[in-house]
Amino acid sequence: MKARIITRQKLCPDIFWYEISAPHVACRFQAGQFVIIQVHERGERIPLTVAEAHPERGTIVLVFQVVGKTTLELSLLKEGEEIENCVGPLGNPSEINFFGQVICVGGGTGIACLLPIVRALSAAGNEVISLIGSRSRDYLILEDKIKAVSSSLFIATDDGTRGERGLVTDVLERILEEEEVRGKIQRVIAIGPPLMMRKVAEITRPHRIKTIVSLNTIMVDGTGMCGSCRVFLGKAMKLACIDGPEFDAHRVNFDDVISRLEMFRAKERLAWAVYRQQLEARQMEIKTKVRAKEGTASHD
Ligand SMILES: Cc1cc2nc3c(=O)[nH]c(=O)nc-3n(C[C@H](O)[C@H](O)[C@H](O)COP(=O)(O)OP(=O)(O)OC[C@H]3O[C@@H](n4cnc5c(N)ncnc54)[C@H](O)[C@@H]3O)c2cc1C
Ligand code: FES
């Protein structure tokens, strides 16, 4: 189903906020679910988490980072233009219950994926301690929105330009040792780069705290047919699109998740380079035409 871009905002140098019309998703969405979009007819299908849903307006919000060809194509669309296809909501919703005290950890665009979960956990009466991090202040997204739905918020940036200097996982490690929270945290939910999620799992394991991660595996159909999103929980194989995307972090084989994400790196780099060359060639062509027009106009 086509989806029109209603609002387009650049949150930071390469992260965008798109509110798009998708009434079929907005009315059924639950925290933790995602959509699969196709920018144009011949485009690759990519999964993006729904960061907000507005059933009354028939819209959803997608927050994405430009990391390759398809996300670059998406970022070049303007308000009023259409995304060729938007399918969803897909995946299992997050488990939202009253747990008591929970910690939500978000890194990079994972902060946007975490937003509806933090909101739903708070609405269910939990005390939600949110920890968000990015490489620097310029890349930190949605701080105010996360703050508005959290009981408390901790921020870390790699270079210390916002919040504490260091990794968000350093903050988690420290908090879990603090007197007021030690032994009280019922659940940790982490969404971000795989290395961050693996570290969160390592930190919470000795504390025996149930820890959930949302896995950003490669996906193609999103319906359990192609097998490209397989992950291993111990020896059991699962499909992130229909069994996930959230899994018990202490059982996930992160080495396998990370190596599978690397598998298509060479092809992805090539697709990105070719597409950028085509874009530059098109821009040159337009400039040449404009100059030629200006030239003939000045001779008239
Ligand atoms: C359930 C789920 C939810 C996601 N939600 C978001 C989100 O809300 N915001 C966001 O910015 N990103 C999200 N991602 C990741 C996003 O899908 C990829 O960044 C995107 O597919 C990259 O496409 P590309 O062509 O621009 O880059 P590519 O050049 O294709 O790849 C660049 C990087 O993206 C990874 N990637 C490529 N194709 C896929 C794919 N089909 N599925 C997953 N990863 C892929 C590659 O391993 C590589 O690391 C999500 C992934 C999953 C599985
Ligand atoms: S994306 Fe094809 S099986 Fe999950």
Side-chain angles (χ1 to χ4, degrees):
M1 208 167 277
K2 287 185 194 284
R4 189 174 299 280
I5 298 167
I6 310 294
T7 315
R8 176 189 183 279
Q9 270 182 56
K10 200 172 189 175
L11 296 180
C12 70
D14 54 8
I15 302 183
F16 292 82
W17 163 286
Y18 279 18
E19 181 168 351
I20 62 170
S21 67
H24 60 297
V25 182
C27 64
R28 290 185 295 133
F29 166 75
Q30 294 178 61
Q33 292 185 299
F34 63 94
V35 290
I36 289 207
I37 63 138
Q38 213 178 354
V39 178
H40 54 83
E41 255 175 30
R42 283 162 289 105
E44 198 190 19
R45 294 155 58 87
I46 62 160
L48 294 174
T49 304
V50 177
E52 279 187 356
H54 301 285
E56 70 293 352
R57 298 206 286 266
T59 63
I60 58 168
V61 171
L62 303 177
V63 175
F64 64 93
Q65 181 165 21
V66 175
V67 293
K69 184 179 176 222
T70 308
T71 43
L72 177 61
E73 286 175 329
L74 183 60
S75 73
L76 296 174
L77 295 180
K78 300 185 186 75
E79 282 179 6
E81 288 187 325
E82 280 182 334
I83 293 168
E84 180 61 28
N85 208 357
C86 174
V87 179
L90 299 169
N92 296 300
S94 309
E95 188 189 346
I96 304 295
N97 278 319
F98 175 71
F99 300 111
Q101 243 182 355
V102 298
I103 295 183
C104 290
V105 188
T109 46
I111 299 170
C113 307
L114 204 61
L115 177 62
I117 301 173
V118 175
R119 189 173 276 143
L121 285 169
S122 290
N126 294 285
E127 183 186 335
V128 184
I129 303 170
S130 294
L131 319 182
I132 57 171
S134 63
R135 43 187 146 136
S136 73
R137 184 182 56 189
D138 293 344
Y139 288 87
L140 189 73
I141 58 166
L142 308 179
E143 178 186 333
D144 291 344
K145 281 190 177 269
I146 292 279
K147 191 174 179 185
V149 289
S150 305
S151 309
S152 50
L153 172 66
F154 294 81
I155 298 169
T157 48
D158 297 0
D159 61 3
T161 45
R162 183 89 185 105
E164 299 176 33
R165 186 194 203 98
L167 302 174
V168 78
T169 47
D170 301 335
V171 182
L172 174 67
E173 209 159 10
R174 195 195 66 228
I175 287 181
L176 289 179
E177 292 301 337
E178 282 174 7
E179 197 69 39
E180 312 90 77
V181 296
R182 200 184 306 144
K184 294 193 190 127
I185 301 297
Q186 300 302 315
R187 186 169 282 233
V188 171
I189 296 124
I191 311 183
L195 289 175
M196 182 207 92
M197 294 192 285
R198 176 164 72 182
K199 183 70 187 167
V200 168
E202 283 165 10
I203 293 170
T204 57
R205 187 175 281 116
H207 292 273
R208 296 171 186 270
I209 303 171
K210 173 107 176 162
T211 301
I212 304 293
V213 287
S214 180
L215 295 180
N216 53 348
T217 56
I218 303 277
M219 284 189 187
V220 178
D221 62 318
T223 59
M225 303 296 282
C226 70
S228 62
C229 65
R230 64 179 174 271
V231 292
F232 286 91
L233 302 197
K235 286 201 174 122
M237 195 200 78
K238 299 280 175 193
L239 296 174
C241 65
I242 52 170
D243 301 318
E246 293 182 6
F247 293 102
D248 179 345
H250 296 152
R251 297 187 58 219
V252 171
N253 181 337
F254 279 103
D255 290 342
D256 181 66
V257 169
I258 292 164
S259 71
R260 285 184 63 77
L261 281 171
E262 293 288 333
M263 228 160 54
F264 301 105
R265 194 71 87 199
K267 274 192 185 163
E268 288 160 0
R269 289 219 174 106
L270 182 66
W272 165 267
V274 169
Y275 184 62
R276 287 206 77 108
Q277 264 179 6
Q278 286 170 348
L279 272 182
E280 278 161 25
R282 215 179 298 158
Q283 278 164 354
M284 281 296 288
E285 198 183 303
I286 293 169
K287 271 188 197 156
T288 315
K289 275 187 188 156
V290 170
R291 276 198 209 115
K293 241 188 192 169
E294 284 168 356
T296 40
S298 65
H299 284 120
D300 289 343

